[in-house]
Amino acid sequence: LDPKSLSAHLFLSLYWQRQGKLEQALGYLEKAAALYPDRPALQTEMGRVLALKGDLDAAGQAYQKASALAPQDPVYYRLLAAFSLEHNYQLTQTGLPAARRALLLSPNDPASLDTLGQVLLELGDIAGAKRFFERALLQQADYAPALLHLGLIYLNEGNREAAYEMLQKALALAPGSS
């Protein structure tokens, strides 16, 4: 009824994703992005679908375009870093700068601190990662992701008592989550 409807394109994309037809889903996202080129959320959704298809380079470009559309919003830099982490995609070249930029934009945000900690952990900088997880918990003592990540570090260090404490807290704050 309305070929310019953002909602219609998004719902059709979601429908085709649920049917396992990622190419068709992507087509509707591309139409929506052409109609609304200034919406970074459309780019991140395109990146997510492209990653599901296995096209990590195009997905990375979509996430980077989203952060370029909203250069002062740390959310899109965190999403870019999370994509890089999830797919082990250009961690040093893409994930690390994105996580750092998110932190520069929101230096006291536990999500940004935790994201940078995750990237550092994946890159093998355990001490740096631990510092950022601890800083995240200083900002918000009940931030479950940082509790989980710090607990994993403690477990890896052999500090079972501290690991158990962190993991129990994380579980209590996010019951039923993965």
Side-chain angles (χ1 to χ4, degrees):
L1 295 175
D2 182 4
K4 294 183 179 178
S5 169
L6 177 61
S7 298
H9 287 293
L10 293 176
F11 284 128
L12 284 167
S13 175
L14 183 60
Y15 170 79
W16 288 115
Q17 287 176 55
R18 289 183 177 170
Q19 301 304 312
K21 309 278 186 179
L22 297 178
E23 196 62 46
Q24 288 167 291
L26 188 58
Y28 283 102
L29 287 172
E30 288 169 345
K31 288 177 187 175
L35 291 168
Y36 301 92
D38 60 337
R39 305 268 177 110
L42 289 173
Q43 294 299 319
T44 59
E45 183 62 13
M46 283 177 51
R48 190 184 66 74
V49 173
L50 285 162
L52 288 172
K53 285 184 58 188
D55 191 348
L56 296 182
D57 288 330
Q61 290 171 5
Y63 279 102
Q64 288 175 340
K65 185 173 182 181
S67 58
L69 286 171
Q72 298 304 312
D73 191 339
V75 169
Y76 295 103
Y77 291 100
R78 280 196 308 270
L79 288 170
L80 175 57
F83 157 76
S84 184
L85 277 164
E86 182 178 344
H87 298 283
N88 199 20
Y89 178 81
Q90 299 183 354
L91 278 171
T92 304
Q93 311 92 307
T94 302
L96 184 59
R100 285 179 173 157
R101 179 74 178 146
L103 188 59
L104 284 172
L105 292 170
S106 57
N108 297 319
D109 178 34
S112 294
L113 290 159
D114 183 68
T115 299
L116 183 52
Q118 288 180 70
V119 172
L120 292 174
L121 182 61
E122 192 65 28
L123 291 173
D125 181 357
I126 308 296
K130 189 175 181 179
R131 276 194 314 273
F132 282 102
F133 297 145
E134 289 170 344
R135 282 183 54 196
L137 292 172
L138 285 174
Q139 293 301 317
Q140 184 179 334
D142 63 349
Y143 190 67
L147 288 164
L148 171 67
H149 299 131
L150 190 56
L152 293 174
I153 286 179
Y154 288 151
L155 192 60
N156 194 40
E157 292 175 341
N159 188 346
R160 295 181 66 164
E161 190 174 304
Y164 183 78
E165 180 184 340
M166 293 290 129
L167 296 173
Q168 281 293 100
K169 286 180 184 178
L171 184 60
L173 291 166
S177 68
S178 60

